Amino acid sequence: MSGPRVRFAPSPTGYFHVGSARTALFNWLVARHDARGVFILRVEDTDESRNREEWVEGIYSAMAWLGLAPDEGPFRQSDSKEAHQSAAGFLRQRGYLYYCDCTPAMVEERKGPGAPPGYDGFCRERGVERGEDTALRFRTPREGVTIVHDLIRGDVEFENRLIDDFVVVKSSGVVLYALANVTDDRHDRITHVIRGEEHLANAPKQMMLWSALSVATDDDVPLPQYAHLPLLVNEQRKKLSKRKDPVATESYRDQGYLPDAFVNYLALLGWSPRGAVEIVPLSTLIEEFRLEDVSHSPAFFDVKKLTHMNGEYIRALSREEFVRLSAPWLRPWSTPWQPSDREPPWREDQFNEATYERIAPFIQERVATFAEIPAMVEFFFLDEPRVDETGFAKVVTNDPLGRAVLKAAVEAFERLDAWDSSVLHETVAAIGEANGLALRKAQAPVRCAVTGTLVGPPLFESLEVLGRESTIQRLRDALARAA
Ligand code: GLU
């Protein structure tokens, strides 16, 4: 017995949707779960009006980012056009297809208002000859039912009389998606068709085409098993919207989500491992994943949960990995890949890797994505900190005690023998005490003067790394601004 042969068959008509990423992952997991499994990538690029080459590239790079390498392919569906044509030829010769010269307007007129959608079968028995404006339609059975045995949904029954004689080859000669898809799946001996729920309604038509091809080509390729994955919905329980919801996988990469975290999160969209655990290592995903355990109810794509999970993955990195993996957001000029639209606010000559390495452990504790890092560390690298004016007014300009703390800090910092975080901590605490302020209150003007904002990495460690000279200079500058 051979193992499962699965394929991911995206159409390059836009950004790589998170739903597509989930479909790719579930296919890949089915292949990896079985040592003999094969994962195929087939780009369904036959709709020339909607495809773009950059989106094909987007599919490849997103899959590489997620670590979902195909065992066979990537194939391009457009390379198999001849096979699609010849499949259509076999079907026509055996009477499964018939020519039709109706225009949509003619069909509408015949059917009259309120009729069910779809073609009315007018040309089914007319014996229309092939002509310039003739499409080829599939002669669907008028009676009985087609049952899709879905591994996730169970048996889903479709009444054949409700399936119209759909177009298989357009009058232009272009073979449409349904037949191209089936021809390729047969060619690749696909055993499991795993895809989004929106394709469930295509399944009976594709099963009809499959069986017809088995007869017409005298090649009885066994029907694949179907598994239609649950819809992804947003917080309002509505289908994820391309316009309103953050659905582009690329943007998660740009924001600094880790591929492992992203894969882990995607795996939970419709599937859950045994026990209530959520952080599931890839090896466990591979071992435990089964299509039969996928739920059919819609799965909430929860960016907050994903972000939280990403923070956990970031904290689990070694210090070296954290520093290395954050480089594209900090020093993009020296990394092979750069996130788009995320230039750091400093110049190359202002950035200092050694400084970053010293502060990195504190940053690693605080961020959920890499893109959050530059704003947190920019005060180390910019000549002057960018100032949050409201915060500055509150704790320095409009607060005499705040200014008193700054003055005292300048004097005390100049006299310190050692410049380290614990001494700085004690010093600011003592200044606070002398002014009747708790440490938190005494820290605020110092932080705002030195870093420009009221929140950030731990203050005393930051001052230690920034150094005495810059720290005192910034305290002085702040006092001058507030005067
Ligand atoms: N090309 C189709 C899509 O991108 C997928 C079809 C399939 O998986 O059968 O939605």
Side-chain angles (χ1 to χ4, degrees):
M1 262 277 291
S2 56
R5 291 181 58 84
V6 295
R7 85 309 194 262
F8 171 53
S11 303
T13 54
Y15 293 114
F16 194 68
H17 194 285
V18 291
S20 299
R22 195 254 326 243
T23 301
L25 173 65
F26 282 22
N27 274 283
W28 184 86
L29 286 171
V30 166
R32 291 292 77 86
H33 180 75
D34 186 313
R36 302 154 307 171
V38 174
F39 174 59
I40 297 170
L41 172 57
R42 179 176 76 224
V43 178
E44 299 211 314
D45 60 346
T46 38
D47 185 350
E48 281 163 19
S49 61
R50 296 178 64 213
N51 296 333
R52 276 209 231 145
E53 213 42 46
E54 66 190 86
W55 289 327
V56 176
E57 285 308 317
I59 293 169
Y60 296 161
S61 70
M63 292 195 49
W65 177 62
L66 294 169
L68 307 178
D71 303 305
E72 293 180 14
F75 301 119
R76 301 282 293 249
Q77 186 158 63
S78 53
D79 290 339
S80 313
K81 280 186 186 159
E82 276 174 30
H84 307 150
Q85 293 291 351
S86 106
F90 280 116
L91 290 177
R92 197 182 51 76
Q93 278 161 20
R94 291 297 196 99
Y96 287 103
L97 306 182
Y98 63 86
Y99 285 111
C100 164
D101 58 3
C102 301
T103 63
M106 287 157 69
V107 179
E108 286 316 306
E109 203 185 308
R110 272 197 311 267
K111 290 199 314 187
Y119 185 60
D120 60 354
F122 183 73
C123 293
R124 209 173 146 104
E125 310 300 342
R126 277 181 66 221
V128 178
E129 296 282 321
R130 178 182 178 174
E132 254 180 37
D133 291 318
T134 51
L136 275 168
R137 291 185 179 275
F138 187 75
R139 196 184 295 278
T140 60
R142 298 287 79 193
E143 283 158 10
V145 293
T146 299
I147 299 173
V148 180
H149 301 288
D150 191 282
L151 289 170
I152 296 171
R153 280 147 221 278
D155 287 356
V156 187
E157 211 175 275
F158 292 86
E159 278 190 69
N160 292 339
R161 65 181 178 87
L162 298 180
I163 300 175
D164 74 335
D165 286 355
F166 54 95
V167 174
V168 172
V169 184
K170 292 214 283 191
S171 55
S172 61
V174 170
V175 175
L176 287 180
Y177 152 75
L179 180 59
N181 181 275
V182 167
T183 305
D184 292 352
D185 282 350
R186 286 170 57 88
H187 176 269
D188 291 330
R189 299 296 194 257
I190 295 303
T191 58
H192 296 72
V193 167
I194 306 162
R195 58 187 179 186
E197 178 177 290
E198 66 277 14
H199 287 292
L200 180 59
N202 294 328
K205 296 180 188 173
Q206 292 176 321
M207 287 169 66
M208 289 171 182
L209 285 170
W210 192 293
S211 307
L213 279 169
S214 285
V215 176
T217 63
D218 205 12
D219 184 6
D220 194 9
V221 185
L223 258 183
Q225 291 201 279
Y226 288 93
H228 289 92
L229 306 176
L231 206 63
L232 298 187
V233 294
N234 62 20
E235 208 159 5
Q236 288 77 43
R237 301 276 142 188
K238 296 240 172 68
K239 186 176 169 196
L240 285 188
S241 136
K242 272 195 181 171
R243 261 184 321 112
K244 289 192 232 121
D245 297 307
V247 296
T249 305
E250 290 90 337
S251 84
Y252 291 93
R253 184 186 188 187
D254 286 345
Q255 289 171 69
Y257 286 79
L258 287 164
D260 291 0
F262 200 72
V263 161
N264 186 161
Y265 182 69
L266 287 178
L268 304 180
L269 293 173
W271 176 81
S272 44
R274 274 167 255 147
V277 285
E278 298 210 312
I279 302 284
V280 191
L282 193 60
S283 54
T284 312
L285 287 180
I286 291 171
E287 199 175 304
E288 292 195 4
F289 187 83
R290 272 172 198 77
L291 280 173
E292 290 77 359
D293 295 338
V294 174
S295 147
H296 55 77
S297 19
F300 172 28
F301 184 74
D302 184 351
V303 181
K304 282 199 201 100
K305 186 164 157 189
L306 163 63
T307 306
H308 174 79
M309 195 174 250
N310 199 59
E312 295 206 18
Y313 270 83
I314 285 185
R315 283 186 288 288
L317 294 172
S318 72
R319 174 97 41 90
E320 292 68 32
E321 276 177 310
F322 175 74
V323 168
R324 184 174 60 79
L325 293 170
S326 53
W329 289 266
L330 298 166
R331 45 177 178 83
W333 51 83
S334 62
T335 57
W337 172 82
Q338 293 82 32
S340 43
D341 301 326
R342 295 198 179 265
E343 285 281 299
W346 49 78
R347 294 186 313 268
E348 181 171 351
D349 61 297
Q350 291 176 306
F351 180 73
N352 183 312
E353 181 80 0
T355 300
Y356 177 60
E357 277 175 21
R358 284 179 67 193
I359 203 69
F362 303 103
I363 304 300
Q364 187 175 359
E365 288 305 311
R366 282 168 174 71
V367 293
T369 62
F370 289 124
E372 290 170 35
I373 302 175
M376 249 182 224
V377 300
E378 64 174 40
F379 68 88
F380 287 107
F381 307 118
L382 298 178
D383 298 336
E384 286 170 12
R386 288 200 279 192
V387 179
D388 155 19
E389 297 294 348
T390 318
F392 189 83
K394 183 165 162 239
V395 301
V396 181
T397 319
N398 299 335
D399 184 354
L401 271 178
R403 294 199 301 281
V405 167
L406 294 188
K407 274 186 208 131
V410 171
E411 282 166 26
F413 288 179
E414 277 177 335
R415 286 198 311 270
L416 287 181
D417 295 329
W419 186 259
D420 70 52
S421 60
S422 56
V423 172
L424 289 162
H425 184 151
E426 281 163 26
T427 311
V428 173
I431 294 171
E433 229 166 87
N435 287 279
L437 295 173
L439 178 64
R440 198 173 51 83
K441 286 268 181 196
Q443 272 195 63
V446 177
R447 180 189 290 283
C448 200
V450 177
T451 74
T453 64
L454 294 174
V455 288
L459 180 63
F460 304 112
E461 283 78 1
S462 299
L463 299 186
E464 179 183 320
V465 172
L466 188 66
R468 188 192 310 247
E469 204 182 311
S470 294
T471 300
I472 293 178
Q473 186 57 49
R474 288 180 182 196
L475 295 174
R476 287 217 165 97
D477 291 348
L479 281 165
R481 284 174 48 127

